[in-house]
Amino acid sequence: MRRTLIYYWRLHLAVALGAAVAATALTGALLVGDSLRGSLRALALERLGRIDHALLSERFIGAPLAASLAPGAAPTVLLSGAANQAHSQTRASQVQIQGVDRRFTPLFDAGDALVSNLKKRPGQVFPAVVINAALQRELDAAVGDPILLTLERQSQTHRESLFGRRGSGDVVATLRLTLTAVLPDRGAGRFGLQPHQHLPLNAYVDLAVLQRALGQKDKVNAALFAAPQTSADLQKALRQRLDLPDLGLLLERRGDFISLESTQFILQPHVINLAQDLARQQQLSHTTVLTYLANKIAATDGAIPYSTITALGSTRGLRSADGAPLPQLTDDGILLNQWSAHQLNAAPGDSIAVTYFVVGPREELSTRQVHFHLQGVVALQGLAADPTLTPAYPGIQEEKNMSSWEAPFPMDMDLIRPQDEAYWDKYGATPKAFVSAAAGQHLWRSRFGDLTALRFYPLPNADVESAYQNFRSGLLQRLRPDQAGLVVHPVRRAALQAATGATDFSGLFIGFSLFLIVAAALLVVLLFKFGMEQRAAEVGVLLASGYTDAAVRQRFMAEGGVLAGVGALVGLGGAVLYAYLLLLGLRTWWLDAVGTPFLHLHVTWPSLLAGYLLTLLLVSLTIWRAVRRFHHLPVSALLSGSGAVQVQA
């Protein structure tokens, strides 16, 4: 075989080169797939540093709670906003703003330098900010330049509700900072929890500075963990340490009842259902509360401006002004307290008009009016004199005078009378009227919920404090952190899964290279068949000498196997060059095809071995197909070979 391979070296060199071309295309496609996966994996690991898990919250929670979940936890504020260079007014949007402190330093190799640059330097007036090189290019900023960061404040009240703050000063906070350092676009400069291939625009601010600007002292909305704990362990630790305020709930014991309210003033439906089920299990009776603001309560003889109205699930706790039993409220009925009935000179049976604001789908306010008939007058005592029926809306309850309200809706201060101010001085935000729960929820429910509070009453002679503690522990056991927007994410695992991609990159590029692979296989077939035709006389001699068809095929298959092995081995070197050129094109000329310029060549032994073996198999099959039909060689050549043997004999 060795002498034959050497004798026909020109034919065999062509076949080996065909095999090399097949190996180059096939193995190169596998290497491109490996390089895409490897590059995405490297990007994912670089942007996360040593972070394994992240606690993300829809609302701000106590920083001590976040820090207590695992050793080495880094409480953080993560926000999105915009940045401006104060002098040139160049602007960048979709900026990732991170509030960090010294606990962030172990997460990245350059963490110490980052945090040290966030401290004020001698003579520096404004707090420091550190940005990455990508944001520096967007802003065309230099160290020492003033930077303005614009970010969204978290509102205590839903902005789509009547009491939601929609003014720019209430919604947006602006920080004037001094640029003290620029991070390279790697490590902490690439930090981001969301999987993507583009360079983020990162800005780092001292955690305490950002908390003060947001009015969220000692609170964060995220925590980063570089710990061996699993997501389940962290979620379990979170559930064990959570208190109701962390879930946005306020539970208080007030006299003979227990009150459940929301820090955002509207109870979510799932909380209502869970609390009502728990109350039934613990044999607590309850009533629902929904308090809204009326622009005007009017009757024939007068009108009262800006009054709260409460929709009650039951009239328990209300007393009639004349001592008579209170009727059950109907859906079109209303109860006025003594003060309101006196101001309106109203009596049972009179028509009462209530005018109120409605928030539209674009947060616009419109005015509506509904008519009730007066069912009774209640004494200003007990439940009717309870100002806590109205949630403590900021800018309203803390004011000493109605004329000082900082309401987020338009008010006509000229309508406020001295007697209205006197009522406010004495009773505060105590409701002046009561309607049925069905009527109130029909008129004033929102997409966030239809109750401002639930009140629970223990059995007569029961210990209210014990009932409160039991109800509180029951709520904490049943409420899940994820229902309140507190979720621990396995960000590293998710990033690595995302790096694999939904597409089989190797298969994709094999498909792109299929033309080359098929062309190389056909070339091998044609070249080998051409070689066999050139050696037809040799085949005739072998057959005439007594060799069987199978033996002749084996001789040619052995030669083909050697050629395939050598060619495939040579093709592996070409595959590395082929993959490099493809990646060069993908991150330059064909960038839109992959969307990221951060692609680098990753050569892996499994792909080299797979490409080598697949090429051997492919070339061997093509050679076998050519060899198995060697009887189709020209008959004259075969006969000339066998005739020469006969003459010598």
Side-chain angles (χ1 to χ4, degrees):
M1 184 187 303
R2 178 177 58 82
R3 295 179 65 185
T4 302
L5 290 173
I6 295 173
Y7 185 78
Y8 295 106
W9 69 270
R10 291 183 179 84
L11 292 174
H12 291 155
L13 178 61
V15 173
L17 289 177
V21 171
T24 296
L26 183 57
T27 310
L30 294 175
L31 292 179
V32 171
D34 285 348
S35 298
L36 286 174
R37 284 190 294 270
S39 298
L40 292 176
R41 178 185 174 89
L43 289 176
L45 295 178
E46 185 177 38
R47 67 178 174 81
L48 290 176
R50 299 180 183 89
I51 300 170
D52 293 309
H53 298 85
L55 168 66
L56 302 179
S57 174
E58 294 179 358
R59 60 169 55 84
F60 279 82
I61 60 173
L65 167 66
S68 68
L69 298 182
T76 312
V77 172
L78 301 179
L79 297 171
S80 179
N84 290 70
Q85 210 273 21
H87 293 327
S88 64
Q89 294 300 311
T90 52
R91 179 180 175 86
S93 58
Q94 296 182 347
V95 177
Q96 295 181 174
I97 302 170
Q98 283 85 223
V100 300
D101 60 12
R102 57 179 178 76
R103 290 169 289 190
F104 187 80
T105 57
L107 301 178
F108 289 92
D109 291 335
D112 287 331
L114 165 62
V115 174
S116 64
N117 281 316
L118 292 178
K119 303 302 179 183
K120 269 190 176 182
R121 298 174 180 176
Q124 183 176 320
V125 178
F126 299 103
V129 62
V130 175
I131 65 177
N132 67 348
L135 182 54
Q136 181 197 27
R137 291 191 293 270
E138 288 284 325
L139 298 178
D140 191 21
V143 172
D145 286 351
I147 303 294
L148 298 179
L149 290 183
T150 305
L151 45 97
E152 183 181 5
R153 295 180 187 268
Q154 187 177 75
S155 176
Q156 188 177 1
T157 311
H158 297 291
R159 294 199 175 98
E160 297 85 348
S161 67
L162 176 62
F163 292 92
R165 302 277 170 178
R166 291 174 284 276
S168 59
D170 300 312
V171 175
V172 175
T174 301
L175 275 173
R176 186 180 179 93
L177 307 162
T178 299
L179 180 59
T180 55
V182 178
L183 297 174
D185 291 328
R186 59 181 184 273
R190 252 202 111 82
F191 167 66
L193 296 180
Q194 299 300 322
H196 57 79
Q197 291 83 48
H198 300 288
L199 274 175
L201 305 177
N202 279 337
Y204 288 92
V205 184
D206 184 75
L207 179 60
V209 171
L210 196 54
Q211 288 170 333
R212 284 196 299 270
L214 297 170
Q216 301 287 350
K217 184 179 179 182
D218 295 328
K219 291 187 176 181
V220 295
N221 65 354
L224 308 175
F225 305 95
Q229 289 93 341
T230 64
S231 298
D233 293 335
L234 291 170
Q235 200 77 21
K236 183 179 179 181
L238 175 63
R239 191 161 187 171
Q240 291 172 346
R241 291 166 173 78
L242 273 179
D243 201 356
L244 290 176
D246 299 316
L247 298 169
L249 297 175
L250 301 173
L251 187 70
E252 296 181 357
R253 181 175 65 83
R254 297 174 183 165
D256 64 343
F257 67 90
I258 303 165
S259 174
L260 177 64
E261 300 176 13
S262 170
T263 56
Q264 291 187 303
F265 309 115
I266 299 292
L267 288 170
Q268 295 181 336
H270 77 273
V271 174
I272 296 171
N273 295 333
L274 189 150
Q276 289 175 334
D277 290 342
L278 180 60
R280 283 190 288 268
Q281 293 176 17
Q282 297 186 357
Q283 297 183 329
L284 302 174
S285 60
H286 73 278
T287 187
T288 60
V289 178
L290 172 61
T291 300
Y292 205 74
L293 181 79
N295 298 343
K296 184 170 62 175
I297 301 176
T300 305
D301 295 334
I304 304 171
Y306 305 115
S307 307
T308 55
I309 299 181
T310 296
L312 291 173
S314 73
T315 56
R316 173 177 179 168
L318 297 178
R319 298 291 181 266
S320 173
D322 56 6
L326 283 171
Q328 183 66 33
L329 275 168
T330 60
D331 290 348
D332 62 347
I334 191 171
L335 297 174
L336 296 177
N337 64 14
Q338 285 177 293
W339 186 90
S340 302
H342 175 72
Q343 293 292 317
L344 298 175
N345 194 23
D350 288 353
S351 177
I352 304 297
V354 176
T355 305
Y356 58 94
F357 279 130
V358 174
V359 184
R362 297 182 180 178
E363 300 181 7
E364 72 279 8
L365 294 177
S366 59
T367 303
R368 292 184 186 176
Q369 188 179 79
V370 62
H371 291 270
F372 296 95
H373 74 272
L374 183 58
Q375 287 190 242
V377 178
V378 299
L380 254 170
Q381 60 183 8
L383 181 64
D386 187 355
T388 63
L389 286 171
T390 302
Y393 294 112
I396 296 179
Q397 265 89 331
E398 68 267 20
E399 299 299 335
K400 295 181 179 180
N401 303 306
M402 290 184 66
S403 56
S404 301
W405 282 9
E406 296 181 3
F409 47 82
M411 291 182 63
D412 186 354
M413 294 301 179
D414 294 336
L415 297 177
I416 300 174
R417 308 163 301 169
Q419 52 266 45
D420 299 319
E421 292 284 10
Y423 183 92
W424 181 261
D425 292 340
K426 188 174 182 178
Y427 299 106
T430 300
K432 297 173 183 175
F434 302 89
V435 297
S436 69
Q441 291 171 14
H442 173 71
L443 296 173
W444 304 315
R445 72 171 4 126
S446 69
R447 67 184 182 90
F448 307 106
D450 53 17
L451 293 180
T452 54
L454 281 169
R455 294 192 168 191
F456 303 94
Y457 300 88
L459 293 172
N461 302 321
D463 182 20
V464 180
E465 179 63 26
S466 297
Y468 165 77
Q469 295 296 340
N470 291 336
F471 191 78
R472 179 180 176 279
S473 63
L475 272 181
L476 287 173
Q477 289 174 5
R478 288 165 173 77
L479 286 170
R480 300 197 314 271
D482 60 287
Q483 293 175 319
L486 284 163
V487 182
V488 176
H489 297 272
V491 290
R492 180 174 293 272
R493 186 180 68 189
L496 294 178
Q497 289 176 347
T500 60
T503 304
D504 181 3
F505 295 122
S506 296
L508 179 65
F509 283 94
I510 285 176
F512 291 156
S513 305
L514 190 61
F515 174 79
L516 283 175
I517 297 171
V518 172
L522 292 176
L523 179 63
V524 170
V525 171
L526 293 175
L527 290 173
F528 206 81
K529 288 184 67 175
F530 176 73
M532 291 182 62
E533 289 177 359
Q534 297 297 312
R535 297 167 61 186
E538 178 185 348
V539 173
V541 170
L542 293 173
L543 292 175
S545 303
Y547 281 84
T548 63
D549 292 352
V552 174
R553 290 192 186 95
Q554 288 176 2
R555 286 174 62 91
F556 280 101
M557 283 299 301
E559 293 178 14
V562 172
L563 297 176
V566 173
L569 192 61
V570 173
L572 294 184
V576 175
L577 178 62
Y578 175 74
Y580 173 79
L581 293 175
L582 272 180
L583 291 172
L584 179 63
L586 286 173
R587 63 174 179 256
T588 52
W589 306 301
W590 313 313
L591 181 60
D592 292 340
V594 292
T596 177
F598 306 104
L599 297 179
H600 302 282
L601 180 63
H602 288 71
V603 179
T604 61
W605 288 108
S607 289
L608 291 176
L609 181 60
Y612 182 78
L613 295 178
L614 287 173
T615 303
L616 280 181
L617 178 62
L618 176 65
V619 174
S620 298
L621 286 175
T622 57
I623 292 175
W624 172 80
R625 182 173 177 81
V627 169
R628 73 185 183 92
R629 305 183 66 183
F630 72 87
H631 280 105
H632 290 208
L633 295 174
V635 176
S636 58
L638 292 173
L639 291 177
S640 64
S642 60
V645 172
Q646 291 175 359
V647 169
Q648 290 178 2

